[in-house]
Amino acid sequence: MEIGDLVLRLARENPIWGYRRIHGELSRLGFRIGASTVWPILHRAGVDPAPTRSAISSRQFLRAQAKSVLAVDFFTVDTVLLKRLYVLFAVERSPPARSTCSG
């Protein structure tokens, strides 16, 4: 895999990363490349700057985070004995189970 392909793959898989973060990750992986080299690779490929690329819809965000989304509510309950209970209620939202049929 060429360095340009790797730069574009990192940009595609991590849309909030800018060219400096991509450079840092490549350096951490042992590639000797300058940040001033990463930017032209992205620019030539027509990849927008990170803030523009990271504009995802709430639906896309929830789909990506579906395994870790919690619904949380905080409320009070007044008892018959005139005591007030404070309740923090959390429900884990898991994606629908996928069934497989074997014939």
Side-chain angles (χ1 to χ4, degrees):
M1 177 177 279
E2 289 186 30
I3 194 73
D5 296 333
L6 188 56
V7 167
L8 295 175
R9 179 178 172 190
L10 285 172
R12 184 175 51 253
E13 292 177 0
N14 304 285
I16 61 172
W17 289 6
Y19 74 97
R20 289 179 190 237
R21 174 70 186 269
I22 292 171
H23 165 257
E25 288 298 316
L26 290 172
S27 296
R28 192 176 64 80
L29 292 172
F31 291 95
R32 295 180 53 87
I33 184 172
S36 60
T37 304
V38 174
W39 189 86
I41 292 170
L42 294 173
H43 186 68
R44 271 193 308 256
V47 177
D48 293 329
T52 306
R53 281 187 283 128
S54 65
I56 61 173
S57 70
S58 59
R59 182 180 177 96
Q60 290 170 324
F61 173 78
L62 288 176
R63 246 187 224 291
Q65 304 298 324
K67 292 183 181 176
S68 62
V69 173
L70 292 177
V72 179
D73 194 9
F74 182 76
F75 57 92
T76 61
V77 176
D78 294 324
T79 66
V80 176
L81 300 174
L82 301 176
K83 298 236 181 195
R84 179 167 286 162
L85 301 176
Y86 296 93
V87 180
L88 179 63
F89 184 76
V91 177
E92 181 179 5
R93 186 224 177 262
S94 60
R98 294 182 183 184
S99 62
T100 57
C101 298
S102 58

